Amino acid sequence: MTGRSWKAELGFLGSYLSDRFTALLAARYFLRLVSKENGNRSLCLNLYDSMIVWLLVCGINEIMKGPWTFYNNNYFFMRGIFVRTGKKLFASALLIVTALSSLTACGSGTSSEGSAGSGSSEQVKIRMIESLTSPARTEVLNQMLTKFEEANPGIDVELISPPLDSADTKIAQMLSSKADVDVLEVRDSTVKQFVTNNWIADLSAYTSKWSGYGTLNTSAQMSANYIENKPYYIPYGLYEKILFYRTDWFKEKGLEAPKTWEDLYQAAKAITDPSKNRYGYSFRGGKGADSYIVDMVRDYNGTNTNPEDAMFLKNGNTIFSTPEAKQALENHLNIYKDGSPKDSVNWGFAEMVEGFEAGITGMLIQDPDVIDVVKQKMGEGTWSTAAIPAGPAGVTHFKVGAAGWGMAAHSEHKDEAWKLIEFLSSPEENEFFTQKIGLIPVHTTASENEFYKTGYYKPYMDMNADTAHYIPVKPETDYKGFGEWRSIIQQDTQAIIFGKLSVDDALKKWDAYWIDQKKQGK
Amino acid sequence: MNNTGVRKPRLSRTAAFILFCLLPALIPVVVLTYFPIFKGIIMAFQNYSLFNLNDIRFIGFDNFKTVLQDPNLPTIMQNTVLWVFISLILQFAIGFVLSLLLYQKFPGRGVYQGLIYYSWAMSGFLIGIIWRWMFNGQIGVINDLLLKMGLISERIGFLSDPKWAMFSVIVANIWYGVAFFAIMLTAAMQSIPEELFEAADMDGANGLQKMLHVIIPYILPTIITTTALRVIWIFNFPDIIYAMTNGGPANSTHILSTFMLDKIVFGGDYGLAGAIGVISIVLLLLYTLFYLFATKASKAGDF
Amino acid sequence: MKRKVISRVKLSSKVIILGIWLLFMVFPLYWMILTSLKPKNDIFKFPLEYLPERISFENYANIFAISKFHVYIGNSLLVSLLSAFIVIIISILSSYVLARFTFRGSRQIMSGFFLTQMIPMFIGFGPLYSIMSQLNLLNKQGSLVLMYSVLLIPFCTLMLKGFFQRIPSSLEEAAMIDGCSRLGGLIRIILPVMKPGISATFIFAFVQNWNELFLAIMFIDREEAKTIPVAMNSFITKFDIDWGAMSAATVLSVIPTMILFALCQRLIVQGLTDGAVKG
C-alpha cells in the first residue's frame, strides 16, 4: 500500500480521464467498430456495429439534453459530491453517468412521450391502476375509459394493469414512492393500509357535491366510510358469497340445495365418488381459507355473535371460546375429509372455481363475479345458485365485501381524477360494469333492475330481504393483526388436517389471539 | 501482488486503459447493485413495512428474532437443505452420466443435445407453470399416466399433499438443471486431449478405469466450480417454487428464498425480508468458504 | 464373441437411458404444445387426449386478441438483445483487464463480483425501486435494459475472464508491436478468436433477460412496455389460470430461445470447451 492516498489517486484519474482520454478513446472505439477497416469481421461484430450505430443515432437527442436535466434534478445531491471530491472527478463521473443514461433512455422508444405530451397544454393525462386484474376485466374497463375520454376531450387516461399476484405490492410501492398515479383501486382489505400511510385522499369535499352519493346503497356507503367515517373510496361493486351447486348431480342423488352446514356436509358426502373423480365441495384450504372457517364458526354461534364486532360474541368473549365453535370447525374439517378432493387442502380462489367448472366438485361457495365465469363454461340447467347455508340455529352471517376507486393523495390532477371516479361510479356506468363483471351494484336505483331479481342473482335479493335469518356483519379488516390472522388461521387449519395440531389447541390459540387483538385496539 | 500494474507516479497509459475498461462495469454495479443491497441490509434492522411507512425506526435485531423464532423455520431450513442438495446431486449425477454417454459422436447427437438442453433456456417461472399444470391433482397428466399404467389407484395430490409437494418441486428443478451440468461437463470432456486416452489404452485401461483416472481428474476443476456455483444458484432460486406452490401446502415447500419473496410480495415487510436475506448471505458465505477450503480452491477452474 | 455381447448390451443400455431421458425432457413441452392446440373446452375434458384430435389455433388467436402479445414479443426482443449487447461490451472490457493485469484492488473486484452471485437480489428491490423512481427511470424499457445489464455484468465478466485467460497474451502483444493500440489489439486480434466464448456469454445473457420476471413487474406498468413474462403472469387471474392462453404463450416464448440454442449450440459447446477447465 504505497503511493498517494486513494482519494488523490481517484481525483487524479478522474481529471486525466475527463480532460483528454474519454472522449478520444470513446470516439476511436466506436469508429473502429463502425468503420469497415476490419477485413474479416465476425457475425457478432457485425451485429455490434449496427446496434452501436443505432444507439448513437437515437442517443444523440438524449445526450444533448441529458446532462443538464440530470444535473438540475439532482442539484443538491450532486453539489455534495462536487464539493467533496473535486470538480474533475465530478465531471468525469457525470460523463459516464450521462453516457449510460443516454444509452438506456433510447431503449424506450416512447420515452419522449411524457415530455411531448405536456407540449399541448390543455391535455391532462391521468393514470389509473387496478389490482384485481384479469384480461377480460381490463377490456371492460378500457371500454368505459374510452367513453370517458370521449365525454372529456381534455383528459387522457392511462390504465395500468399489473399481474394479479403482485398488484397490491406494486400499488403500495408506487404510492410510497409517490409515483405518477392518480386513481387507484381500493378494496376493503387494503383501505386501512392506504389510509394509515396517507396514500389516498379523503373524498368528502367531492362527494358532498356529487348527486350520485345519495343513491349509494347502505352497504356501499358503509364500505366507503369504513375507515374514520370518511369516504376514502367509492365502491364499484359489492361482493357477497352465495352457494353454487350442480343441479344435475343433486337430482341424481335426490338431494336439495343445503339449508344448513350439516346439510352441506351430507350432500357433499353423498356426491363424492373418487372413482369418477367427482367430489362434493370445493374446499378452500389455501390462501383465503380464513373467511370460510370464520363464517361457519359465527353461524354455529347463532345469534350470540355480535354483528358489530364479529370476531366476538355479544357477551364479549371471542367466537372461538364456545363448544359451538368446536362443532363448526369439526364440521368444516369433515366436509374436507369426506366430501372434498384431497388436493383442495391447498386450493385458493382459482382452484376452487376451476374445480367446480371442470366438473370435479358439486358445490362452491363464492362471490358473484364467479357467476359470469361459470355461465361461460357450464351448460344452462346443470347448475344453480342458492343462499349460504345456516348454522344449527338457522342463522347465517355474511360479510359484504367491497372494492372501488380512490384517489392518490399526491395526485397533481385531483379534479380530473375525481371526474373519472365520478364517471365510473355513476349509476349507468356502474350498472354496465357490475353486469359485465358480475357484481352487486352500488346504487339503490339498480336493485329494481330485472337483471338482479331473477336467475342466478336471486339469492342475493332473498338474503337481503330476510334480515331475521341473514345477518350482515362488520368485517374485521381494521384490526391491526388482520393480515397476520388470515395466514395464521389458514396455516393452522392445514396443520390440523395434516395431524400436526389438535382442534382444541387451535381454538385455544385463536381465542387467545383475538383477546390480544382486542387489547391492542384497532 | 500489490502494485504491479500501477507503479509509475504519474498515471501511465496502462492504468488509464485499465480504468477506462473497468469503470463502465464498476460504477453501475456499485450504484445499482451494492448500494440497494446495502440499503436492504439496513432495512433488516428496521421496522420497515409497506403497511405502515409512518412508523419506520431502528429496532435492532428484532427482525432476526422474529425470523429465528418463526415456528416454520425448522421446516424451511430442512426444505432448503433438501431442495439444494437433492436437486444438486441428481442434477449432477444425471448430467454426468449424460455427458459420458454423449462424449462419443453418434449420428443425431447434435439434435439430441438440442432436445435435452432446451430446458436451460426457459424461465423458472415458466417451468413452474408447466409442471404445475402436469402435476395438477385432478386434471394433471402425470396422475393420468400413473393411473393408466396401474401404478396408483387414486390420484395423488402432488402439489397439495405435504408429503409429495417437496418431491414435486424438486422433480421440476431437476428437469430444469440437468442441462446445465450436461452442457458444462460435455464441454469440459471435449477438451480432454486425445493423448491421455491413447496412453490409457496402451496401459490397457477399461472404461471405468478411464473414467476414474483420466476423465474425472481432468474435469475436476469444472466439477468443483460448477457445483459450487449451482448450490448458490439453487439456493437463491425461488421461481419454480413460487410458480408451483408458492410455499404451500401448510408451508411445506417454503425455502429461505421463497420465504423472503413471500414476505415482500404478500407481506410488504421489507424489514423481515432483509433479515432473511442477511441470514441467507451469511449461510452462503460460510458454505462457500467451507467448500473452497475443503476442495482446495487452487484446483477450481474458472468457468 | 463375449466382447460383442458386452458391447451390444452397452449400446442398448445407452440407447435406453438416452431414450428415457429424451422422453422425460421432451414430454412437458409436447404437453404444452398439445394443450395449446386444443380448443378451449377440450382442455379440461376427460379422458385426457394424448394425441391431438381436433387441432385449433384459437388459443393463439386469443392471446393476440386479449392482449397486445405482438407488442410484448417486440419488447422482450428489444430489451433482451439490447441489454445483452451492452453487457457483453462492458464485460469484454472489464474481463479483459481483469484477466491481463494484476493491480491493486483487482482481487477485491473479482470477489466483489463473485459476491453479487451470492446475494439474493430481492433484498435490494425496495431501495432499487426508489432509486429508479428518483432518477425518473420507472416505466421505461430503458430502465429494464439498464438493470438487466447491471445485474449481468458481474457474472459475464467472470465468465469472459475465463475465456481470456485461455488465450495467450503474446497474441495481442504481437499486434501491439505491429503498431496496434491495446484496444485495437483486443478488438482485431482477440475478439475474433474469442467468438465462441463471446457467443456463449451472449446467449446466456440473452436468455436471462428474456426470462426475467420480477424486475419487469416492478419497473414496468405501461401496457406498451410490458415484456412476455409479465404478460404471461397476467394470465393467472383471480378465477383461474387461463391454461389455453398460458400454454400458447409458453410455446411462443420458448421458440426464440430454442432457435437460438439450436443455431448456436455448436458455438456454445465449443466456447465452453475453449474456456472451461485447464486449471
Side-chain angles (χ1 to χ4, degrees):
Chain A
M1 288 294 178
T2 56
R4 291 167 304 187
S5 77
W6 65 271
K7 272 187 195 166
E9 202 148 56
L10 269 181
F12 181 72
L13 295 178
S15 72
Y16 198 86
L17 275 174
S18 62
D19 278 358
R20 41 199 150 140
F21 220 55
T22 321
L24 193 70
L25 267 182
R28 268 173 66 187
Y29 178 46
F30 285 143
L31 280 176
R32 276 269 163 72
L33 286 172
V34 175
S35 71
K36 298 259 177 190
E37 65 176 68
N38 277 329
N40 54 341
R41 287 180 311 162
S42 65
L43 173 76
C44 284
L45 280 177
N46 263 323
L47 285 169
Y48 291 166
D49 293 354
S50 47
M51 292 305 280
I52 286 165
V53 172
W54 185 68
L55 275 174
L56 280 174
V57 170
C58 71
I60 284 170
N61 191 24
E62 295 292 327
I63 291 172
M64 295 308 280
K65 63 185 181 190
W68 297 114
T69 336
F70 187 82
Y71 183 77
N72 288 335
N73 288 348
N74 299 281
Y75 179 69
F76 288 104
F77 173 63
M78 285 293 173
R79 209 179 61 157
I81 297 178
F82 197 80
V83 171
R84 253 177 269 135
T85 54
K87 188 178 155 196
K88 296 285 175 73
L89 175 61
F90 169 72
S92 61
L94 192 66
L95 237 170
I96 290 163
V97 171
T98 311
L100 266 178
S101 62
S102 58
L103 279 179
T104 55
C106 65
S108 59
T110 46
S111 69
S112 53
E113 182 182 80
S115 46
S118 57
S120 52
S121 54
E122 300 99 38
Q123 204 68 11
V124 173
K125 182 166 180 186
I126 57 178
R127 284 160 57 91
M128 161 172 169
I129 185 163
E130 52 168 339
S131 66
L132 294 177
T133 49
S134 73
R137 197 184 90 156
T138 305
E139 184 54 45
V140 175
L141 273 176
N142 272 326
Q143 287 173 21
M144 292 163 74
L145 293 179
T146 313
K147 269 187 267 176
F148 175 75
E149 284 173 342
E150 275 163 14
N152 299 274
I155 307 177
D156 283 332
V157 187
E158 186 189 345
L159 178 65
I160 306 168
S161 317
L164 178 78
D165 255 0
S166 46
D168 282 339
T169 322
K170 172 112 198 173
I171 293 178
Q173 240 167 9
M174 289 179 84
L175 292 170
S176 69
S177 62
K178 307 233 182 309
D180 186 10
V181 62
D182 304 285
V183 176
L184 63 143
E185 185 163 358
V186 182
R187 308 200 309 274
D188 48 5
S189 51
T190 53
V191 62
K192 172 82 174 171
Q193 174 198 7
F194 291 172
V195 172
T196 314
N197 287 319
N198 301 317
W199 285 340
I200 51 176
D202 170 12
L203 300 175
S204 326
Y206 299 100
T207 51
S208 59
K209 287 180 232 148
W210 176 42
S211 61
Y213 191 67
T215 60
L216 286 183
N217 61 35
T218 356
S219 295
Q221 288 215 7
M222 204 174 95
S223 305
N225 292 288
Y226 183 55
I227 304 291
E228 297 171 1
N229 226 353
K230 287 178 194 155
Y232 276 104
Y233 68 107
I234 309 295
Y236 59 63
L238 304 171
Y239 294 89
E240 203 181 302
K241 291 199 172 75
I242 46 168
L243 176 75
F244 297 73
Y245 67 103
R246 288 291 293 259
T247 44
D248 48 351
W249 296 4
F250 272 63
K251 219 173 260 162
E252 240 173 68
K253 301 272 173 197
L255 295 165
E256 272 184 38
K259 293 268 180 300
T260 66
W261 291 111
E262 177 62 26
D263 291 349
L264 188 137
Y265 165 71
Q266 296 298 349
K269 198 177 166 184
I271 292 172
T272 299
D273 181 358
S275 67
K276 281 202 238 165
N277 201 21
R278 191 183 268 194
Y279 298 87
Y281 180 64
S282 267
F283 183 81
R284 186 169 195 168
K287 210 176 147 213
D290 52 306
S291 69
Y292 289 82
I293 307 163
V294 171
D295 284 350
M296 210 185 282
V297 171
R298 280 176 186 146
D299 295 349
Y300 269 75
N301 279 313
T303 47
N304 289 329
T305 305
N306 180 4
E308 292 302 310
D309 195 2
M311 295 313 282
F312 299 91
L313 302 172
K314 283 172 181 155
N315 67 15
N317 291 334
T318 77
I319 52 171
F320 302 110
S321 60
T322 60
E324 286 85 0
K326 192 177 174 183
Q327 287 173 19
L329 187 54
E330 275 168 351
N331 189 51
H332 181 74
L333 296 168
N334 286 338
I335 294 173
Y336 169 74
K337 210 173 67 195
D338 300 329
S340 311
K342 291 285 154 284
D343 221 33
S344 59
V345 65
N346 204 27
W347 280 9
F349 184 102
E351 291 84 3
M352 298 169 76
V353 178
E354 220 169 68
F356 187 72
E357 284 168 5
I360 293 162
T361 60
M363 284 181 283
L364 166 76
I365 292 181
Q366 258 309 343
D367 285 326
D369 45 353
V370 176
I371 291 177
D372 223 41
V373 183
V374 175
K375 221 195 267 177
Q376 283 171 24
K377 301 229 169 134
M378 290 172 61
E380 192 79 29
T382 58
W383 64 287
S384 184
T385 56
I388 297 290
V395 177
T396 302
H397 294 88
F398 66 93
K399 237 183 344 192
V400 180
W405 305 110
M407 190 193 293
H410 65 267
S411 165
E412 282 167 13
H413 305 293
K414 285 218 168 72
D415 290 335
E416 288 81 4
W418 170 254
K419 260 192 191 159
L420 177 60
I421 297 175
E422 188 181 326
F423 175 82
L424 294 173
S425 311
S426 69
E428 308 79 54
E429 289 306 313
N430 184 251
E431 202 171 304
F432 174 75
F433 186 69
T434 49
Q435 287 199 14
K436 284 271 183 198
I437 308 299
L439 289 174
I440 304 167
V442 294
H443 289 283
T444 45
T445 45
S447 56
E448 266 107 68
N449 192 316
E450 278 305 307
F451 187 76
Y452 298 99
K453 275 193 176 161
T454 52
Y456 300 120
Y457 289 88
K458 191 166 172 294
Y460 288 112
M461 298 305 140
D462 298 345
M463 282 167 76
N464 287 344
D466 185 3
T467 45
H469 293 99
Y470 296 97
I471 306 170
V473 297
K474 213 173 160 236
E476 68 277 16
T477 42
D478 54 345
Y479 278 96
K480 269 195 191 120
F482 176 67
E484 192 189 9
W485 159 249
R486 297 187 69 184
S487 64
I488 288 178
I489 182 170
Q490 183 246 321
Q491 286 167 15
D492 283 354
T493 311
Q494 282 186 338
I496 300 174
I497 289 172
F498 299 134
K500 290 182 189 158
L501 186 72
S502 78
V503 170
D504 289 315
D505 288 347
L507 286 169
K508 254 182 237 154
K509 185 175 164 191
W510 302 345
D511 183 42
Y513 188 86
W514 281 97
I515 293 173
D516 183 54
Q517 281 296 311
K518 187 88 171 176
K519 258 189 237 144
Q520 288 192 22
K522 291 178 182 179
Chain B
M1 71 179 57
N2 277 345
N3 268 9
T4 43
V6 190
R7 180 159 286 166
K8 289 179 193 165
R10 292 284 298 184
L11 193 74
S12 70
R13 219 179 137 78
T14 319
F17 177 73
I18 291 177
L19 268 186
F20 164 73
C21 291
L22 268 185
L23 284 184
L26 281 184
I27 292 177
V29 170
V30 169
V31 175
L32 290 174
T33 307
Y34 274 99
F35 179 62
I37 287 171
F38 175 71
K39 280 192 100 172
I41 291 174
I42 290 179
M43 282 178 178
F45 301 93
Q46 284 178 322
N47 178 30
Y48 199 114
S49 160
L50 280 182
F51 283 95
N52 192 350
L53 289 173
N54 302 322
D55 189 26
I56 296 171
R57 55 175 199 280
F58 278 95
I59 51 170
F61 284 91
D62 281 9
N63 285 325
F64 292 88
K65 274 186 210 150
T66 316
V67 173
L68 293 176
Q69 285 167 358
D70 192 305
N72 294 312
L73 192 71
T75 326
I76 291 170
M77 293 310 288
Q78 191 193 332
N79 285 341
T80 310
V81 172
L82 284 178
W83 166 254
V84 171
F85 288 104
I86 296 187
S87 304
L88 176 84
I89 290 168
L90 286 174
Q91 283 177 3
F92 175 76
I94 299 171
F96 186 71
V97 170
L98 282 176
S99 52
L100 278 182
L101 294 180
L102 292 174
Y103 175 66
Q104 276 167 340
K105 276 206 172 107
F106 58 85
R109 184 177 73 164
V111 178
Y112 185 85
Q113 283 175 327
L115 286 174
I116 63 164
Y117 289 167
Y118 76 94
S119 68
W120 187 239
M122 293 167 79
S123 71
F125 172 75
L126 204 59
I127 290 163
I129 289 291
I130 293 177
W131 283 91
R132 178 171 166 180
W133 175 231
M134 300 209 308
F135 270 131
N136 188 306
Q138 306 306 320
I139 39 178
V141 64
I142 292 175
N143 264 319
D144 199 65
L145 281 175
L146 291 176
L147 279 173
K148 277 216 172 78
M149 287 193 261
L151 290 175
I152 53 170
S153 56
E154 199 182 335
R155 285 184 169 75
I156 297 175
F158 281 108
L159 298 178
S160 57
D161 185 338
K163 280 191 265 142
W164 285 99
M166 206 60 213
F167 165 85
S168 311
V169 293
I170 289 178
V171 167
N173 194 23
I174 291 170
W175 184 85
Y176 168 58
V178 165
F180 171 78
F181 279 111
I183 295 173
M184 296 305 277
L185 295 177
T186 307
M189 283 183 198
Q190 282 179 359
S191 67
I192 301 176
E194 273 301 313
E195 304 92 65
L196 287 182
F197 282 108
E198 284 160 16
D201 278 337
M202 272 202 262
D203 293 346
N206 63 24
L208 188 70
Q209 284 167 331
K210 269 190 222 160
M211 191 180 94
L212 286 177
H213 299 294
V214 179
I215 298 181
I216 291 189
Y218 196 85
I219 63 170
L220 191 63
T222 310
I223 294 178
I224 292 175
T225 325
T226 48
T227 47
L229 257 181
R230 276 306 281 165
V231 166
I232 295 168
W233 283 350
I234 299 175
F235 187 100
N236 279 333
F237 184 56
D239 309 39
I240 286 183
I241 297 183
Y242 172 77
M244 277 176 82
T245 63
N246 205 355
N251 285 319
S252 60
T253 54
H254 260 314
I255 59 169
L256 269 180
S257 57
T258 57
F259 192 49
M260 179 160 128
L261 196 61
D262 190 60
K263 290 281 174 252
I264 294 178
V265 174
F266 298 107
D269 195 329
Y270 287 103
L272 273 186
I276 302 170
V278 171
I279 293 173
S280 309
I281 297 172
V282 170
L283 287 177
L284 282 175
L285 272 178
L286 288 177
Y287 158 80
T288 313
L289 290 178
F290 170 77
Y291 191 82
L292 290 182
F293 179 74
T295 56
K296 298 208 186 76
S298 54
K299 277 193 192 162
D302 287 283
F303 284 94
Chain C
M1 276 304 271
K2 211 176 170 194
R3 273 233 159 141
K4 245 185 184 168
V5 173
I6 290 179
S7 71
R8 193 139 306 145
V9 169
K10 256 189 182 168
L11 186 70
S12 51
S13 59
K14 182 172 166 176
V15 169
I16 289 172
I17 295 175
L18 288 180
I20 290 176
W21 189 254
L22 182 67
L23 214 61
F24 181 64
M25 290 308 292
V26 171
F27 186 75
L29 189 65
Y30 170 74
W31 193 247
M32 269 340 236
I33 295 175
L34 193 66
T35 308
S36 73
L37 291 175
K38 284 181 183 174
K40 230 174 179 170
N41 297 326
D42 284 7
I43 289 178
F44 288 93
K45 210 171 75 183
F46 272 106
L48 295 179
E49 288 164 5
Y50 287 85
L51 291 170
E53 280 182 14
R54 288 188 292 159
I55 287 186
S56 128
F57 286 93
E58 77 177 85
N59 289 317
Y60 290 90
N62 191 29
I63 56 172
F64 286 97
I66 59 173
S67 63
K68 301 176 179 163
F69 211 76
H70 54 286
V71 177
Y72 309 147
I73 294 178
N75 290 338
S76 272
L77 272 176
L78 177 75
V79 170
S80 312
L81 281 175
L82 193 56
S83 116
F85 275 112
I86 292 174
V87 80
I88 285 289
I89 293 172
I90 294 179
S91 303
I92 285 178
L93 294 178
S94 61
S95 60
Y96 175 71
V97 166
L98 287 169
R100 286 287 189 266
F101 301 95
T102 315
F103 50 92
R104 206 187 321 166
S106 62
R107 262 187 90 85
Q108 283 76 0
I109 291 174
M110 291 295 294
S111 330
F113 280 176
F114 190 73
L115 200 63
T116 58
Q117 299 302 300
M118 215 175 280
I119 300 172
M121 235 352 250
F122 300 113
I123 205 176
F125 269 23
L128 203 53
Y129 187 86
S130 33
I131 295 173
M132 296 301 260
S133 92
Q134 273 158 23
L135 293 178
N136 211 2
L137 274 174
L138 286 178
N139 241 332
K140 298 184 175 152
Q141 284 157 325
S143 62
L144 276 191
V145 175
L146 177 68
M147 275 323 296
Y148 288 177
S149 312
V150 173
L151 287 181
L152 284 173
I153 286 173
F155 183 81
C156 291
T157 302
L158 293 174
M159 199 163 158
L160 284 171
K161 180 180 168 253
F163 296 128
F164 274 118
Q165 282 172 337
R166 310 296 160 223
I167 296 171
S169 58
S170 52
L171 219 62
E172 81 256 29
E173 272 157 18
M176 281 167 76
I177 291 169
D178 287 352
C180 240
S181 70
R182 199 166 256 290
L183 203 59
L186 169 65
I187 292 168
R188 284 194 206 163
I189 311 295
I190 310 288
L191 291 192
V193 182
M194 287 259 297
K195 199 169 84 173
I198 292 177
S199 315
T201 316
F202 176 82
I203 289 167
F204 173 83
F206 176 83
V207 165
Q208 291 287 313
N209 297 335
W210 181 262
N211 289 331
E212 205 286 330
L213 169 69
F214 296 106
L215 282 171
I217 288 180
M218 196 163 79
F219 289 143
I220 301 291
D221 45 50
R222 275 189 317 123
E223 208 49 46
E224 288 72 26
K226 279 184 183 169
T227 55
I228 296 177
V230 183
M232 288 182 60
N233 210 6
S234 309
F235 296 146
I236 304 178
T237 68
K238 188 180 159 202
F239 301 103
D240 47 26
I241 293 181
D242 187 342
W243 285 112
M246 190 64 104
S247 53
T250 304
V251 175
L252 287 182
S253 84
V254 171
I255 286 174
T257 48
M258 276 192 89
I259 291 177
L260 196 66
F261 250 54
L263 286 182
C264 304
Q265 187 200 327
R266 204 175 44 82
L267 276 180
I268 298 172
V269 175
Q270 192 194 336
L272 293 171
T273 315
D274 294 348
V277 224
K278 291 185 198 157

